[in-house]
Amino acid sequence: MSADTADSTTQVATRLFVGGRWRDGRAGRIPVTDPGNGRTIGTVEQADERDVADALDAAAAAFRAWSTTVPAQRGAILKKAATLLGSRAEEVATTLMLEAGKTRAEARGEIQRAVDTLEWNGEQAARVEGRVIGGAAAGSRRYSVPTPLGVVAAFTAWNFPAVLGARKLGGTLAAGCTVVLKAAESAPGTAAAIVQALVDAGLPDGVVNLVFGDPPAVSAQLLGSPVVKAVTFTGSTAVGKQLATLAASRLIRGVFELGGHAPVLVCEDADVDSVVAVTSPAKFGSAGQSCVAPSRYLVHRSLYDAFASRLTEHASSLRLGHGSDPATTMGALVHQGRVDAMLRLTQDAVGRGARLLCGGRQPERDGFYFEPTVLADVPHDADLMSEEPFGPIAAVVPFDDFDEAVELANAPEYAFAAYVFTDSIARREIAVERLKASNIGINQMAPSLPDAPLGGLDASGYGYEGGAEGVLSFTQLRLVSQSAPTR
């Protein structure tokens, strides 16, 4: 699971983890590619139907003991796993860098976020609690009891494999559930490293099981199993809808973190340099492959030319390259399909009248790169204005009044993140009230941290991850009504 920090050709062989044992998959193995140069860096084992069934059986068998484990003891394992992952941070960050095409700084930052997530959920495990409610009759009382749901099917995406893995496992394990984790085949070593930290921290056999395999087949088997009581998924809206449909047939509870198309509203009293400095790391970090990344800059006409010029200057200054190069400031996209999508969105926008201010090309080099791209005067009917770009493309559009900006911001079907830059208290209040977004940043970004709940709206999903709500998502609040004994 490790990789030499100086050699991106190091082989990374990732296996399944079922019932407390690492093992090969019965469906063979597939290659893992370094997006930064297109080379094969290892393999990942693939589960067949029998492997998935074994994982489900192991999770079901482990549930009773784990769900009745003292919450503080569950938390202690999570906190120890956080410490172990932190001690291995450099090694795991190298694996993440090679698998996901990130810069080394981005990979290190993500591993630290994963450590923080496990640590926080470890603390929260002992704080999962219900409440006492007044009785409806003399001598009676009512109280709610959080009870673990059972086996959880968890699915993580490739763009943030460490954070997403820690978030799924942290919340479910703190709640007392057992898990079958279906992680991304393109970033398997990172997921395996988190599982290994939990195992080394003392996690009992069967509590977490890690599988890889054909996504439709594995998903259908997991969500068709009678032992699975909840599903948590992070990924595209299209796949999320498919999984939600499968879950609905068995009334499986779901938490879905799906796509986004985050607007940035730049009002006439905003500072242009500050907006660019604050938002650009999120826009171009991880090559723009984030559901909360700014994608549409809606700029007051009085600042429009200055802002477009400043954003273009910044985007043009970014240096593309492999994450192992210290000079690299933007890494690769995950595969050629994402590059093709960037080309299509750019060509469509320009064909409809947008101005290409910088970028717009796939550079001639090994790996899957797309130049940081800024498009101005993007017409509202361009695909880029309604389709999540999930890449390093920024659309810049003018507005004349704040009502118009809010209307433009709310136009796509997505409703995850939105950002507003203004000194006006009135506009801030309007933004919070009227913006169709569940995660709003005012004069700053809105980071997803483990101590606060985050969930989507509309095509961006539903349910919560993070905070006490993220743990309670995997419990049933049983209402107990009790009268005093008659004698």
Side-chain angles (χ1 to χ4, degrees), residues 164-256:
L164 297 177
R167 191 182 294 168
K168 305 295 185 192
L169 295 177
T172 52
L173 296 179
C177 295
T178 56
V179 188
V180 178
L181 173 63
K182 161 62 176 69
E185 287 72 29
S186 57
T190 303
I194 294 174
V195 171
Q196 187 65 61
L198 287 162
V199 172
D200 293 342
L203 192 73
D205 292 352
V207 174
V208 168
N209 303 272
L210 175 66
V211 299
F212 306 93
D214 178 60
V218 174
S219 301
Q221 185 175 354
L222 288 178
L223 298 185
S225 169
V227 306
V228 171
K229 304 303 180 184
V231 55
T232 173
F233 169 80
T234 297
S236 72
T237 297
V239 174
K241 288 179 178 179
Q242 295 172 7
L243 295 186
T245 299
L246 291 173
S249 68
R250 291 193 50 251
L251 296 179
I252 295 173
R253 188 178 301 186
V255 176
F256 292 90

Side-chain angles (χ1 to χ4, degrees), residues 90-112:
E90 195 61 27
E91 176 185 5
V92 183
T94 296
T95 299
L96 173 56
M97 176 189 74
L98 297 178
E99 292 180 331
K102 295 177 184 281
T103 66
R104 187 174 294 279
E106 290 168 347
R108 286 171 173 158
E110 183 175 342
I111 297 303
Q112 184 56 55

Side-chain angles (χ1 to χ4, degrees), residues 108-192:
R108 286 171 173 158
E110 183 175 342
I111 297 303
Q112 184 56 55
R113 288 177 60 198
V115 169
D116 294 343
T117 299
L118 292 175
E119 175 72 25
W120 190 88
N121 280 282
E123 294 288 345
Q124 183 63 23
R127 298 194 293 256
V128 179
E129 56 191 23
R131 62 192 179 99
V132 176
I133 308 163
S140 70
R141 73 166 118 182
R142 294 170 292 166
Y143 53 95
S144 60
V145 182
T147 307
L149 284 175
V151 177
V152 177
F155 300 84
T156 56
W158 44 262
N159 57 327
F160 288 97
V163 166
L164 297 177
R167 191 182 294 168
K168 305 295 185 192
L169 295 177
T172 52
L173 296 179
C177 295
T178 56
V179 188
V180 178
L181 173 63
K182 161 62 176 69
E185 287 72 29
S186 57
T190 303

Side-chain angles (χ1 to χ4, degrees), residues 62-71 73-74 148 176:
F63 174 69
R64 181 173 178 81
W66 181 248
S67 64
T68 56
T69 298
V70 175
Q73 294 178 2
R74 296 199 298 258

